[in-house]
Amino acid sequence: MTRLAQVSDLHFGSEDPATTETLIHELNRARLDLVILSGDLTLAARNDEFERARDFIDRLEAPTLSVPGNHDITPWNIPERMFQPYKRWRRHVGEDLEPTWFSDDVAVVGLNTARRMRFKLDWSRGSLSRAQIRGLGARFEGAARHAFRIIVAHHPFLEEEDGEFATKPKAIVQRAQRALAAFVDERVDLVTAGHLHRTYAAAFQTPPATAAVVTEVGEPQHRVTVIQAGTALSSRTRGEANAFNLIEIEAGRMEVHPVSWTGVKWERAADPLVRIDHPSATTP
Ligand SMILES: [Fe+2]
Ligand SMILES: [Fe+2]
């Protein structure tokens, strides 16, 4: 079995040190193949926050794959924000802002959605460029045919529609619809994101009009599942406990299990948030 964890919005600078220790212990105990860190490692991109994030990464036994969040670009040093927005990230976390990690049964591709500025006032909102979307196919080159394809980004792609804190459309990453269509084309199975500090799942499917055409030539509709992770450590929770997502892959099936902090221990949800069979399992 391949086991990944998606750990999001750690926000070092607002963490509880005791809970941090339990999280490191829990992630090491799970014998993970990869820990995905989907942005907002810090609260305000201060060097001491990045140092604590680095220490956290160093103490994990599994390799990590990280993409930046909006909080990981300094809000205080404007020249640095404009001209070297990832200086601190690169020094403490890694050179590559969009890393990839491939194994026999999973291909994980990072996308950087954090922006140093936008032409609108809200700089916390994320965006994907046309070039990032166009380049997606090349990012998956070399992935095994039966590998589940996973995208990692900080900002959300789909709203939570019925939840207590229904997502505001402006929290959704810019060009989300275009990106989701490209994810369908590239047969992406799962998108993991954070930013909202809420755990939920949503799905995107080829629109029916296109699907009818596609079905005629014998190819099934492709479904992209989006999962959001809560904040793993920050006290800035939105009515939910601290949580992360455990992703388990075995025999062509992928399951996502939220794991939440009860105040005493990390507890895995009774039922998976999503269960996905690899498309090749249902098509010859
Ligand atoms: Fe966050
Ligand atoms: Fe964020």
PDB file of all heavy atoms in Angstrom, residues 232-264:
ATOM      1  N   ALA A 232      -3.765  21.979   9.879  1.00  0.00           N
ATOM      2  CA  ALA A 232      -3.211  20.892  10.687  1.00  0.00           C
ATOM      3  C   ALA A 232      -2.813  21.361  12.089  1.00  0.00           C
ATOM      4  O   ALA A 232      -2.875  20.599  13.041  1.00  0.00           O
ATOM      5  CB  ALA A 232      -2.016  20.278   9.978  1.00  0.00           C
ATOM      6  N   LEU A 233      -2.396  22.637  12.217  1.00  0.00           N
ATOM      7  CA  LEU A 233      -1.892  23.092  13.529  1.00  0.00           C
ATOM      8  C   LEU A 233      -2.435  24.434  13.992  1.00  0.00           C
ATOM      9  O   LEU A 233      -2.457  24.709  15.180  1.00  0.00           O
ATOM     10  CB  LEU A 233      -0.359  23.210  13.475  1.00  0.00           C
ATOM     11  CG  LEU A 233       0.448  21.918  13.534  1.00  0.00           C
ATOM     12  CD1 LEU A 233       1.938  22.265  13.469  1.00  0.00           C
ATOM     13  CD2 LEU A 233       0.159  21.126  14.807  1.00  0.00           C
ATOM     14  N   SER A 234      -2.855  25.280  13.056  1.00  0.00           N
ATOM     15  CA  SER A 234      -3.185  26.643  13.447  1.00  0.00           C
ATOM     16  C   SER A 234      -4.396  26.694  14.379  1.00  0.00           C
ATOM     17  O   SER A 234      -5.326  25.899  14.254  1.00  0.00           O
ATOM     18  CB  SER A 234      -3.476  27.479  12.201  1.00  0.00           C
ATOM     19  OG  SER A 234      -3.941  28.748  12.581  1.00  0.00           O
ATOM     20  N   SER A 235      -4.382  27.691  15.255  1.00  0.00           N
ATOM     21  CA  SER A 235      -5.542  27.908  16.122  1.00  0.00           C
ATOM     22  C   SER A 235      -6.639  28.634  15.347  1.00  0.00           C
ATOM     23  O   SER A 235      -7.755  28.801  15.831  1.00  0.00           O
ATOM     24  CB  SER A 235      -5.127  28.724  17.356  1.00  0.00           C
ATOM     25  OG  SER A 235      -4.443  29.881  16.929  1.00  0.00           O
ATOM     26  N   ARG A 236      -6.312  29.084  14.127  1.00  0.00           N
ATOM     27  CA  ARG A 236      -7.313  29.789  13.305  1.00  0.00           C
ATOM     28  C   ARG A 236      -8.180  28.776  12.572  1.00  0.00           C
ATOM     29  O   ARG A 236      -8.112  28.641  11.349  1.00  0.00           O
ATOM     30  CB  ARG A 236      -6.610  30.741  12.345  1.00  0.00           C
ATOM     31  CG  ARG A 236      -5.775  31.719  13.106  1.00  0.00           C
ATOM     32  CD  ARG A 236      -5.119  32.847  12.404  1.00  0.00           C
ATOM     33  NE  ARG A 236      -5.160  32.936  10.981  1.00  0.00           N
ATOM     34  CZ  ARG A 236      -4.856  34.059  10.327  1.00  0.00           C
ATOM     35  NH1 ARG A 236      -4.560  35.145  11.002  1.00  0.00           N
ATOM     36  NH2 ARG A 236      -4.862  34.092   9.033  1.00  0.00           N
ATOM     37  N   THR A 237      -8.960  28.029  13.320  1.00  0.00           N
ATOM     38  CA  THR A 237      -9.838  27.023  12.727  1.00  0.00           C
ATOM     39  C   THR A 237     -11.194  27.660  12.452  1.00  0.00           C
ATOM     40  O   THR A 237     -11.562  28.637  13.090  1.00  0.00           O
ATOM     41  CB  THR A 237     -10.041  25.831  13.683  1.00  0.00           C
ATOM     42  OG1 THR A 237     -10.518  26.346  14.923  1.00  0.00           O
ATOM     43  CG2 THR A 237      -8.747  25.079  13.918  1.00  0.00           C
ATOM     44  N   ARG A 238     -11.916  27.098  11.507  1.00  0.00           N
ATOM     45  CA  ARG A 238     -13.256  27.633  11.207  1.00  0.00           C
ATOM     46  C   ARG A 238     -14.291  26.611  11.659  1.00  0.00           C
ATOM     47  O   ARG A 238     -14.906  25.941  10.851  1.00  0.00           O
ATOM     48  CB  ARG A 238     -13.384  27.944   9.726  1.00  0.00           C
ATOM     49  CG  ARG A 238     -12.422  29.028   9.288  1.00  0.00           C
ATOM     50  CD  ARG A 238     -12.794  29.572   7.948  1.00  0.00           C
ATOM     51  NE  ARG A 238     -14.066  30.282   7.975  1.00  0.00           N
ATOM     52  CZ  ARG A 238     -14.819  30.507   6.895  1.00  0.00           C
ATOM     53  NH1 ARG A 238     -14.427  30.060   5.730  1.00  0.00           N
ATOM     54  NH2 ARG A 238     -15.945  31.152   6.996  1.00  0.00           N
ATOM     55  N   GLY A 239     -14.416  26.482  12.976  1.00  0.00           N
ATOM     56  CA  GLY A 239     -15.429  25.592  13.529  1.00  0.00           C
ATOM     57  C   GLY A 239     -15.073  24.122  13.444  1.00  0.00           C
ATOM     58  O   GLY A 239     -15.899  23.264  13.730  1.00  0.00           O
ATOM     59  N   GLU A 240     -13.828  23.821  13.024  1.00  0.00           N
ATOM     60  CA  GLU A 240     -13.414  22.424  12.894  1.00  0.00           C
ATOM     61  C   GLU A 240     -12.168  22.191  13.727  1.00  0.00           C
ATOM     62  O   GLU A 240     -11.383  23.104  13.938  1.00  0.00           O
ATOM     63  CB  GLU A 240     -13.002  22.135  11.439  1.00  0.00           C
ATOM     64  CG  GLU A 240     -14.120  21.792  10.523  1.00  0.00           C
ATOM     65  CD  GLU A 240     -13.605  21.319   9.158  1.00  0.00           C
ATOM     66  OE1 GLU A 240     -12.385  21.129   8.976  1.00  0.00           O
ATOM     67  OE2 GLU A 240     -14.442  21.151   8.296  1.00  0.00           O
ATOM     68  N   ALA A 241     -11.954  20.950  14.114  1.00  0.00           N
ATOM     69  CA  ALA A 241     -10.713  20.605  14.809  1.00  0.00           C
ATOM     70  C   ALA A 241      -9.559  20.659  13.815  1.00  0.00           C
ATOM     71  O   ALA A 241      -9.774  20.613  12.609  1.00  0.00           O
ATOM     72  CB  ALA A 241     -10.837  19.202  15.386  1.00  0.00           C
ATOM     73  N   ASN A 242      -8.322  20.750  14.345  1.00  0.00           N
ATOM     74  CA  ASN A 242      -7.154  20.606  13.475  1.00  0.00           C
ATOM     75  C   ASN A 242      -7.219  19.245  12.791  1.00  0.00           C
ATOM     76  O   ASN A 242      -7.672  18.271  13.400  1.00  0.00           O
ATOM     77  CB  ASN A 242      -5.851  20.700  14.300  1.00  0.00           C
ATOM     78  CG  ASN A 242      -5.571  22.122  14.767  1.00  0.00           C
ATOM     79  OD1 ASN A 242      -5.349  22.369  15.946  1.00  0.00           O
ATOM     80  ND2 ASN A 242      -5.597  23.064  13.857  1.00  0.00           N
ATOM     81  N   ALA A 243      -6.790  19.183  11.538  1.00  0.00           N
ATOM     82  CA  ALA A 243      -6.939  17.932  10.793  1.00  0.00           C
ATOM     83  C   ALA A 243      -5.947  17.856   9.636  1.00  0.00           C
ATOM     84  O   ALA A 243      -5.392  18.875   9.214  1.00  0.00           O
ATOM     85  CB  ALA A 243      -8.355  17.825  10.234  1.00  0.00           C
ATOM     86  N   PHE A 244      -5.725  16.640   9.156  1.00  0.00           N
ATOM     87  CA  PHE A 244      -5.002  16.433   7.901  1.00  0.00           C
ATOM     88  C   PHE A 244      -5.685  15.286   7.166  1.00  0.00           C
ATOM     89  O   PHE A 244      -6.573  14.623   7.720  1.00  0.00           O
ATOM     90  CB  PHE A 244      -3.497  16.169   8.146  1.00  0.00           C
ATOM     91  CG  PHE A 244      -3.166  14.880   8.858  1.00  0.00           C
ATOM     92  CD1 PHE A 244      -2.948  13.708   8.144  1.00  0.00           C
ATOM     93  CD2 PHE A 244      -3.056  14.836  10.251  1.00  0.00           C
ATOM     94  CE1 PHE A 244      -2.638  12.523   8.796  1.00  0.00           C
ATOM     95  CE2 PHE A 244      -2.743  13.659  10.917  1.00  0.00           C
ATOM     96  CZ  PHE A 244      -2.537  12.489  10.184  1.00  0.00           C
ATOM     97  N   ASN A 245      -5.287  15.077   5.905  1.00  0.00           N
ATOM     98  CA  ASN A 245      -5.889  13.990   5.118  1.00  0.00           C
ATOM     99  C   ASN A 245      -4.876  12.880   4.876  1.00  0.00           C
ATOM    100  O   ASN A 245      -3.746  13.151   4.471  1.00  0.00           O
ATOM    101  CB  ASN A 245      -6.371  14.520   3.757  1.00  0.00           C
ATOM    102  CG  ASN A 245      -7.604  15.398   3.882  1.00  0.00           C
ATOM    103  OD1 ASN A 245      -8.471  15.158   4.718  1.00  0.00           O
ATOM    104  ND2 ASN A 245      -7.682  16.437   3.057  1.00  0.00           N
ATOM    105  N   LEU A 246      -5.295  11.670   5.116  1.00  0.00           N
ATOM    106  CA  LEU A 246      -4.477  10.500   4.829  1.00  0.00           C
ATOM    107  C   LEU A 246      -4.979   9.902   3.514  1.00  0.00           C
ATOM    108  O   LEU A 246      -6.186   9.675   3.358  1.00  0.00           O
ATOM    109  CB  LEU A 246      -4.653   9.502   5.980  1.00  0.00           C
ATOM    110  CG  LEU A 246      -3.730   8.309   6.032  1.00  0.00           C
ATOM    111  CD1 LEU A 246      -2.286   8.758   6.250  1.00  0.00           C
ATOM    112  CD2 LEU A 246      -4.154   7.399   7.197  1.00  0.00           C
ATOM    113  N   ILE A 247      -4.081   9.686   2.566  1.00  0.00           N
ATOM    114  CA  ILE A 247      -4.463   9.162   1.243  1.00  0.00           C
ATOM    115  C   ILE A 247      -3.850   7.774   1.098  1.00  0.00           C
ATOM    116  O   ILE A 247      -2.624   7.634   1.157  1.00  0.00           O
ATOM    117  CB  ILE A 247      -3.945  10.097   0.123  1.00  0.00           C
ATOM    118  CG1 ILE A 247      -4.470  11.523   0.330  1.00  0.00           C
ATOM    119  CG2 ILE A 247      -4.339   9.565  -1.258  1.00  0.00           C
ATOM    120  CD1 ILE A 247      -3.784  12.581  -0.526  1.00  0.00           C
ATOM    121  N   GLU A 248      -4.701   6.773   0.957  1.00  0.00           N
ATOM    122  CA  GLU A 248      -4.205   5.393   0.862  1.00  0.00           C
ATOM    123  C   GLU A 248      -4.508   4.828  -0.522  1.00  0.00           C
ATOM    124  O   GLU A 248      -5.635   4.948  -1.019  1.00  0.00           O
ATOM    125  CB  GLU A 248      -4.866   4.524   1.935  1.00  0.00           C
ATOM    126  CG  GLU A 248      -4.434   4.928   3.325  1.00  0.00           C
ATOM    127  CD  GLU A 248      -5.016   4.060   4.418  1.00  0.00           C
ATOM    128  OE1 GLU A 248      -6.071   3.413   4.176  1.00  0.00           O
ATOM    129  OE2 GLU A 248      -4.438   4.032   5.516  1.00  0.00           O
ATOM    130  N   ILE A 249      -3.519   4.192  -1.127  1.00  0.00           N
ATOM    131  CA  ILE A 249      -3.665   3.638  -2.479  1.00  0.00           C
ATOM    132  C   ILE A 249      -3.272   2.167  -2.469  1.00  0.00           C
ATOM    133  O   ILE A 249      -2.176   1.817  -2.013  1.00  0.00           O
ATOM    134  CB  ILE A 249      -2.769   4.411  -3.472  1.00  0.00           C
ATOM    135  CG1 ILE A 249      -3.210   5.879  -3.522  1.00  0.00           C
ATOM    136  CG2 ILE A 249      -2.819   3.781  -4.860  1.00  0.00           C
ATOM    137  CD1 ILE A 249      -2.176   6.819  -4.040  1.00  0.00           C
ATOM    138  N   GLU A 250      -4.183   1.353  -2.929  1.00  0.00           N
ATOM    139  CA  GLU A 250      -3.881  -0.083  -2.991  1.00  0.00           C
ATOM    140  C   GLU A 250      -4.752  -0.723  -4.069  1.00  0.00           C
ATOM    141  O   GLU A 250      -5.956  -0.445  -4.134  1.00  0.00           O
ATOM    142  CB  GLU A 250      -4.169  -0.743  -1.636  1.00  0.00           C
ATOM    143  CG  GLU A 250      -3.660  -2.166  -1.563  1.00  0.00           C
ATOM    144  CD  GLU A 250      -3.685  -2.726  -0.150  1.00  0.00           C
ATOM    145  OE1 GLU A 250      -4.640  -2.397   0.611  1.00  0.00           O
ATOM    146  OE2 GLU A 250      -2.773  -3.486   0.199  1.00  0.00           O
ATOM    147  N   ALA A 251      -4.156  -1.561  -4.889  1.00  0.00           N
ATOM    148  CA  ALA A 251      -4.865  -2.343  -5.907  1.00  0.00           C
ATOM    149  C   ALA A 251      -5.837  -1.489  -6.729  1.00  0.00           C
ATOM    150  O   ALA A 251      -7.004  -1.827  -6.893  1.00  0.00           O
ATOM    151  CB  ALA A 251      -5.614  -3.498  -5.233  1.00  0.00           C
ATOM    152  N   GLY A 252      -5.351  -0.354  -7.242  1.00  0.00           N
ATOM    153  CA  GLY A 252      -6.166   0.466  -8.137  1.00  0.00           C
ATOM    154  C   GLY A 252      -7.269   1.254  -7.455  1.00  0.00           C
ATOM    155  O   GLY A 252      -8.162   1.785  -8.117  1.00  0.00           O
ATOM    156  N   ARG A 253      -7.227   1.340  -6.147  1.00  0.00           N
ATOM    157  CA  ARG A 253      -8.235   2.118  -5.420  1.00  0.00           C
ATOM    158  C   ARG A 253      -7.539   3.134  -4.500  1.00  0.00           C
ATOM    159  O   ARG A 253      -6.558   2.798  -3.834  1.00  0.00           O
ATOM    160  CB  ARG A 253      -9.122   1.185  -4.589  1.00  0.00           C
ATOM    161  CG  ARG A 253     -10.078   1.928  -3.671  1.00  0.00           C
ATOM    162  CD  ARG A 253     -11.125   1.025  -3.098  1.00  0.00           C
ATOM    163  NE  ARG A 253     -12.190   0.790  -4.058  1.00  0.00           N
ATOM    164  CZ  ARG A 253     -13.351   0.211  -3.753  1.00  0.00           C
ATOM    165  NH1 ARG A 253     -13.574  -0.223  -2.528  1.00  0.00           N
ATOM    166  NH2 ARG A 253     -14.284   0.057  -4.668  1.00  0.00           N
ATOM    167  N   MET A 254      -8.080   4.341  -4.503  1.00  0.00           N
ATOM    168  CA  MET A 254      -7.532   5.385  -3.626  1.00  0.00           C
ATOM    169  C   MET A 254      -8.620   5.843  -2.653  1.00  0.00           C
ATOM    170  O   MET A 254      -9.755   6.088  -3.059  1.00  0.00           O
ATOM    171  CB  MET A 254      -7.067   6.558  -4.498  1.00  0.00           C
ATOM    172  CG  MET A 254      -6.647   7.794  -3.728  1.00  0.00           C
ATOM    173  SD  MET A 254      -5.608   8.921  -4.715  1.00  0.00           S
ATOM    174  CE  MET A 254      -6.665   9.308  -6.090  1.00  0.00           C
ATOM    175  N   GLU A 255      -8.256   5.941  -1.380  1.00  0.00           N
ATOM    176  CA  GLU A 255      -9.203   6.444  -0.371  1.00  0.00           C
ATOM    177  C   GLU A 255      -8.565   7.599   0.382  1.00  0.00           C
ATOM    178  O   GLU A 255      -7.370   7.581   0.661  1.00  0.00           O
ATOM    179  CB  GLU A 255      -9.547   5.338   0.636  1.00  0.00           C
ATOM    180  CG  GLU A 255     -10.441   4.262   0.057  1.00  0.00           C
ATOM    181  CD  GLU A 255     -10.899   3.246   1.118  1.00  0.00           C
ATOM    182  OE1 GLU A 255     -10.395   3.288   2.266  1.00  0.00           O
ATOM    183  OE2 GLU A 255     -11.753   2.433   0.781  1.00  0.00           O
ATOM    184  N   VAL A 256      -9.403   8.583   0.712  1.00  0.00           N
ATOM    185  CA  VAL A 256      -8.926   9.719   1.517  1.00  0.00           C
ATOM    186  C   VAL A 256      -9.642   9.681   2.859  1.00  0.00           C
ATOM    187  O   VAL A 256     -10.878   9.666   2.918  1.00  0.00           O
ATOM    188  CB  VAL A 256      -9.217  11.058   0.811  1.00  0.00           C
ATOM    189  CG1 VAL A 256      -8.735  12.229   1.665  1.00  0.00           C
ATOM    190  CG2 VAL A 256      -8.564  11.101  -0.564  1.00  0.00           C
ATOM    191  N   HIS A 257      -8.845   9.641   3.924  1.00  0.00           N
ATOM    192  CA  HIS A 257      -9.402   9.591   5.281  1.00  0.00           C
ATOM    193  C   HIS A 257      -8.972  10.830   6.061  1.00  0.00           C
ATOM    194  O   HIS A 257      -7.780  10.992   6.335  1.00  0.00           O
ATOM    195  CB  HIS A 257      -8.871   8.359   6.030  1.00  0.00           C
ATOM    196  CG  HIS A 257      -9.248   7.057   5.410  1.00  0.00           C
ATOM    197  ND1 HIS A 257     -10.365   6.353   5.786  1.00  0.00           N
ATOM    198  CD2 HIS A 257      -8.658   6.341   4.428  1.00  0.00           C
ATOM    199  CE1 HIS A 257     -10.444   5.252   5.060  1.00  0.00           C
ATOM    200  NE2 HIS A 257      -9.433   5.214   4.230  1.00  0.00           N
ATOM    201  N   PRO A 258      -9.903  11.698   6.437  1.00  0.00           N
ATOM    202  CA  PRO A 258      -9.515  12.807   7.302  1.00  0.00           C
ATOM    203  C   PRO A 258      -9.107  12.277   8.692  1.00  0.00           C
ATOM    204  O   PRO A 258      -9.702  11.321   9.185  1.00  0.00           O
ATOM    205  CB  PRO A 258     -10.798  13.641   7.423  1.00  0.00           C
ATOM    206  CG  PRO A 258     -11.649  13.215   6.265  1.00  0.00           C
ATOM    207  CD  PRO A 258     -11.309  11.771   6.030  1.00  0.00           C
ATOM    208  N   VAL A 259      -8.069  12.891   9.250  1.00  0.00           N
ATOM    209  CA  VAL A 259      -7.606  12.528  10.600  1.00  0.00           C
ATOM    210  C   VAL A 259      -7.643  13.811  11.428  1.00  0.00           C
ATOM    211  O   VAL A 259      -7.023  14.811  11.046  1.00  0.00           O
ATOM    212  CB  VAL A 259      -6.162  11.959  10.550  1.00  0.00           C
ATOM    213  CG1 VAL A 259      -5.689  11.567  11.941  1.00  0.00           C
ATOM    214  CG2 VAL A 259      -6.066  10.771   9.584  1.00  0.00           C
ATOM    215  N   SER A 260      -8.399  13.811  12.535  1.00  0.00           N
ATOM    216  CA  SER A 260      -8.580  15.055  13.294  1.00  0.00           C
ATOM    217  C   SER A 260      -8.012  14.940  14.701  1.00  0.00           C
ATOM    218  O   SER A 260      -7.991  13.863  15.295  1.00  0.00           O
ATOM    219  CB  SER A 260     -10.055  15.419  13.453  1.00  0.00           C
ATOM    220  OG  SER A 260     -10.771  15.066  12.336  1.00  0.00           O
ATOM    221  N   TRP A 261      -7.639  16.086  15.223  1.00  0.00           N
ATOM    222  CA  TRP A 261      -7.102  16.192  16.578  1.00  0.00           C
ATOM    223  C   TRP A 261      -8.273  16.341  17.559  1.00  0.00           C
ATOM    224  O   TRP A 261      -9.087  17.270  17.438  1.00  0.00           O
ATOM    225  CB  TRP A 261      -6.162  17.398  16.665  1.00  0.00           C
ATOM    226  CG  TRP A 261      -5.598  17.680  18.023  1.00  0.00           C
ATOM    227  CD1 TRP A 261      -5.784  18.805  18.767  1.00  0.00           C
ATOM    228  CD2 TRP A 261      -4.735  16.828  18.791  1.00  0.00           C
ATOM    229  NE1 TRP A 261      -5.105  18.713  19.950  1.00  0.00           N
ATOM    230  CE2 TRP A 261      -4.451  17.507  19.996  1.00  0.00           C
ATOM    231  CE3 TRP A 261      -4.182  15.553  18.597  1.00  0.00           C
ATOM    232  CZ2 TRP A 261      -3.632  16.966  20.995  1.00  0.00           C
ATOM    233  CZ3 TRP A 261      -3.374  15.015  19.576  1.00  0.00           C
ATOM    234  CH2 TRP A 261      -3.105  15.713  20.754  1.00  0.00           C
ATOM    235  N   THR A 262      -8.374  15.419  18.506  1.00  0.00           N
ATOM    236  CA  THR A 262      -9.493  15.448  19.450  1.00  0.00           C
ATOM    237  C   THR A 262      -9.150  16.275  20.689  1.00  0.00           C
ATOM    238  O   THR A 262      -9.993  16.485  21.561  1.00  0.00           O
ATOM    239  CB  THR A 262      -9.842  14.019  19.935  1.00  0.00           C
ATOM    240  OG1 THR A 262      -8.711  13.520  20.675  1.00  0.00           O
ATOM    241  CG2 THR A 262     -10.155  13.081  18.785  1.00  0.00           C
ATOM    242  N   GLY A 263      -7.898  16.704  20.792  1.00  0.00           N
ATOM    243  CA  GLY A 263      -7.436  17.364  22.013  1.00  0.00           C
ATOM    244  C   GLY A 263      -6.576  16.410  22.819  1.00  0.00           C
ATOM    245  O   GLY A 263      -5.815  16.813  23.697  1.00  0.00           O
ATOM    246  N   VAL A 264      -6.711  15.127  22.504  1.00  0.00           N
ATOM    247  CA  VAL A 264      -5.949  14.075  23.192  1.00  0.00           C
ATOM    248  C   VAL A 264      -5.146  13.243  22.186  1.00  0.00           C
ATOM    249  O   VAL A 264      -4.014  12.871  22.416  1.00  0.00           O
ATOM    250  CB  VAL A 264      -6.907  13.136  23.971  1.00  0.00           C
ATOM    251  CG1 VAL A 264      -6.132  12.074  24.742  1.00  0.00           C
ATOM    252  CG2 VAL A 264      -7.796  13.941  24.908  1.00  0.00           C
TER     253      VAL A 264
END
